[in-house]
Amino acid sequence: MAIEDRGFASMDRNKQREIASKGGRAAHKKGAAHEWTREEAQAAGRKGGLARHRRPDDTLTSDDTSAATLPPVSSTSESSSIDER
């Protein structure tokens, strides 16, 4: 048996689901499982949505002061003068 043939990740997907399901049921039975409140679920969904739709170059945050040192965005008049050449 090679190293790649061992462990949870190498198992059949159905077998993984079966084992994980048992763990989830056991945690709920024990009382150790986390149960989401509506507010927690909304906050998590919002956070995931923002992370999913963020552009890769969108690294500045609202508290980042380096945004003030960036050059101004060029106006449309400059772009039209390029077209005239």
Side-chain angles (χ1 to χ4, degrees):
M1 177 192 304
I3 292 175
E4 294 84 17
D5 295 336
R6 296 186 302 176
F8 195 74
S10 66
M11 288 181 189
D12 176 47
R13 291 279 184 205
N14 291 329
K15 185 70 172 172
Q16 286 180 359
R17 289 177 62 95
E18 182 183 326
I19 293 170
S21 178
K22 288 179 182 178
R25 280 192 226 111
H28 279 281
K29 195 174 196 178
K30 183 180 175 184
H34 179 75
E35 295 190 18
W36 294 81
T37 64
R38 179 184 170 110
E39 292 78 21
E40 286 177 319
Q42 284 178 335
R46 190 175 305 111
K47 185 177 178 182
L50 290 173
R52 171 66 177 96
H53 296 291
R54 198 176 100 201
R55 293 188 306 259
D57 62 333
D58 190 15
T59 56
L60 296 177
T61 60
S62 61
D63 62 341
D64 193 353
T65 56
S66 64
T69 61
L70 295 175
V73 177
S74 62
S75 66
T76 56
S77 63
E78 288 179 17
S79 62
S80 63
S81 65
I82 294 173
D83 294 337
E84 294 174 15
R85 292 182 194 167

